[in-house]
Amino acid sequence: MMRIALIAASGFLLVGCQSTPMTSEPASGTLAYGSKVLVDDGTCPEGQIKQITGGNGGKIGRKRECIAKTM
């Protein structure tokens, strides 16, 4: 349980500290479970950016969603 909390907390820190969004998704297997990254690849409507949450490489895949840009 503690391990999941630490992974989730590190994901929130990654998004909070990330100053420049990525231009493409990270390669498969490189995004830790629960980690979140922002990707500005033009697939979301104007004023939004893609947020990707890492899966576990098994039954739980990556979650992709468009969220409002805050910059």
Side-chain angles (χ1 to χ4, degrees):
M1 188 67 167
M2 181 67 158
R3 180 182 227 172
I4 293 172
L6 289 173
I7 292 171
S10 66
F12 293 124
L13 290 174
L14 180 62
V15 172
C17 296
Q18 186 178 3
S19 60
T20 305
M22 302 175 82
T23 56
S24 62
E25 286 193 34
S28 180
T30 60
L31 187 59
Y33 178 74
S35 294
K36 296 182 181 188
V37 294
L38 299 176
V39 178
D40 193 2
D41 60 2
T43 58
C44 291
E46 190 169 334
Q48 295 186 346
I49 192 164
K50 186 189 301 181
Q51 177 177 279
I52 302 173
T53 305
N56 67 2
K59 291 183 179 182
I60 302 173
R62 286 184 174 178
K63 179 181 175 185
R64 296 165 182 85
E65 60 185 327
C66 293
I67 62 170
K69 285 185 180 181
T70 58
M71 295 180 204

